[in-house]
Amino acid sequence: GEETMIGGRIKRIISYVGEEDFCLTYGDGVSDVDITSLIAFHRLEGRLATVTGVQPPGRFGAIDCEGSRVTGFREKPQGDGGWINGGFFVLSPRVVDYIEGDRTVWEQEPMQDLATDGQLSLFKHGGFWHPMDTLRDKRYLDSLWESRTAPWKKW
């Protein structure tokens, strides 16, 4: 229901998953992530969870400077070099042990505890990824779809 956080939702579906690792996504972003490679990476790493890391598209121009003198300018560079949660996961059913109940926010204690325990891998995706959090995002993604240049369309 509306009051159940992502962690709680994972806990509620785990009995339907069985013993096999499973894929999870939030559904609020699109990507051309290679799911087959993501799963293979997860299996190779042998950890309980793998998160896909992405570098978000730049939204503003970046200025390089020394004091007050501008030494360079980059229009909307790709991220700041940091990796963020791209919302595509491969999980072992045993991640349920890290989830307390319906109010558990997946990105807080479960993911932090998995990382602390050495059970969270990062699959670095350098391809296309874009969230759909705002009307601006929706319009941008719609324009890619309508122009038939949507990088996430693979069929």
Side-chain angles (χ1 to χ4, degrees), residues 57-61 75-77 136:
R59 188 166 168 205
F60 303 103
E75 180 60 16
K76 298 181 182 172
R136 181 176 188 253

mmCIF file of all heavy atoms in Angstrom, residues 57-61 75-77 136:
data_model
loop_
_atom_site.group_PDB
_atom_site.id
_atom_site.type_symbol
_atom_site.label_atom_id
_atom_site.label_comp_id
_atom_site.label_asym_id
_atom_site.label_seq_id
_atom_site.Cartn_x
_atom_site.Cartn_y
_atom_site.Cartn_z
ATOM 1 N N PRO A 57 23.120 13.096 -15.537
ATOM 2 C CA PRO A 57 23.418 14.131 -16.527
ATOM 3 C C PRO A 57 23.550 15.487 -15.855
ATOM 4 O O PRO A 57 22.848 15.782 -14.884
ATOM 5 C CB PRO A 57 22.194 14.101 -17.452
ATOM 6 C CG PRO A 57 21.113 13.449 -16.653
ATOM 7 C CD PRO A 57 21.794 12.529 -15.685
ATOM 8 N N GLY A 58 24.480 16.280 -16.345
ATOM 9 C CA GLY A 58 24.653 17.621 -15.806
ATOM 10 C C GLY A 58 23.449 18.488 -16.141
ATOM 11 O O GLY A 58 22.854 18.355 -17.202
ATOM 12 N N ARG A 59 23.122 19.365 -15.230
ATOM 13 C CA ARG A 59 21.972 20.232 -15.456
ATOM 14 C C ARG A 59 22.396 21.673 -15.723
ATOM 15 O O ARG A 59 21.679 22.427 -16.360
ATOM 16 C CB ARG A 59 21.058 20.171 -14.233
ATOM 17 C CG ARG A 59 19.767 20.868 -14.466
ATOM 18 C CD ARG A 59 18.742 20.546 -13.423
ATOM 19 N NE ARG A 59 17.638 21.465 -13.577
ATOM 20 C CZ ARG A 59 16.811 21.806 -12.631
ATOM 21 N NH1 ARG A 59 16.932 21.281 -11.444
ATOM 22 N NH2 ARG A 59 15.847 22.645 -12.856
ATOM 23 N N PHE A 60 23.575 22.024 -15.250
ATOM 24 C CA PHE A 60 24.046 23.399 -15.388
ATOM 25 C C PHE A 60 25.472 23.389 -15.934
ATOM 26 O O PHE A 60 26.182 22.399 -15.821
ATOM 27 C CB PHE A 60 24.025 24.116 -14.033
ATOM 28 C CG PHE A 60 22.674 24.113 -13.379
ATOM 29 C CD1 PHE A 60 22.404 23.242 -12.334
ATOM 30 C CD2 PHE A 60 21.669 24.960 -13.818
ATOM 31 C CE1 PHE A 60 21.155 23.227 -11.730
ATOM 32 C CE2 PHE A 60 20.423 24.949 -13.234
ATOM 33 C CZ PHE A 60 20.158 24.075 -12.185
ATOM 34 N N GLY A 61 25.895 24.505 -16.476
ATOM 35 C CA GLY A 61 27.263 24.640 -16.930
ATOM 36 C C GLY A 61 28.202 24.708 -15.739
ATOM 37 O O GLY A 61 27.867 25.278 -14.701
ATOM 38 N N GLU A 75 29.738 23.125 -20.604
ATOM 39 C CA GLU A 75 28.277 23.190 -20.611
ATOM 40 C C GLU A 75 27.699 21.824 -20.262
ATOM 41 O O GLU A 75 27.938 20.834 -20.960
ATOM 42 C CB GLU A 75 27.757 23.645 -21.980
ATOM 43 C CG GLU A 75 26.253 23.734 -22.085
ATOM 44 C CD GLU A 75 25.603 24.707 -21.100
ATOM 45 O OE1 GLU A 75 26.300 25.565 -20.514
ATOM 46 O OE2 GLU A 75 24.389 24.592 -20.895
ATOM 47 N N LYS A 76 26.991 21.779 -19.177
ATOM 48 C CA LYS A 76 26.287 20.583 -18.698
ATOM 49 C C LYS A 76 27.151 19.321 -18.753
ATOM 50 O O LYS A 76 26.849 18.371 -19.473
ATOM 51 C CB LYS A 76 24.990 20.387 -19.485
ATOM 52 C CG LYS A 76 24.036 21.542 -19.313
ATOM 53 C CD LYS A 76 22.760 21.329 -20.070
ATOM 54 C CE LYS A 76 21.869 22.536 -19.905
ATOM 55 N NZ LYS A 76 20.706 22.525 -20.735
ATOM 56 N N PRO A 77 28.235 19.280 -17.981
ATOM 57 C CA PRO A 77 29.086 18.091 -17.972
ATOM 58 C C PRO A 77 28.355 16.901 -17.349
ATOM 59 O O PRO A 77 27.412 17.070 -16.578
ATOM 60 C CB PRO A 77 30.280 18.505 -17.106
ATOM 61 C CG PRO A 77 29.723 19.551 -16.200
ATOM 62 C CD PRO A 77 28.685 20.287 -17.017
ATOM 63 N N ARG A 136 9.828 18.459 -16.367
ATOM 64 C CA ARG A 136 10.945 18.716 -17.292
ATOM 65 C C ARG A 136 11.566 17.400 -17.773
ATOM 66 O O ARG A 136 11.858 17.237 -18.963
ATOM 67 C CB ARG A 136 11.990 19.573 -16.578
ATOM 68 C CG ARG A 136 13.186 19.928 -17.417
ATOM 69 C CD ARG A 136 14.101 20.865 -16.601
ATOM 70 N NE ARG A 136 15.160 21.369 -17.408
ATOM 71 C CZ ARG A 136 16.427 20.972 -17.315
ATOM 72 N NH1 ARG A 136 16.775 20.074 -16.432
ATOM 73 N NH2 ARG A 136 17.345 21.491 -18.098
#
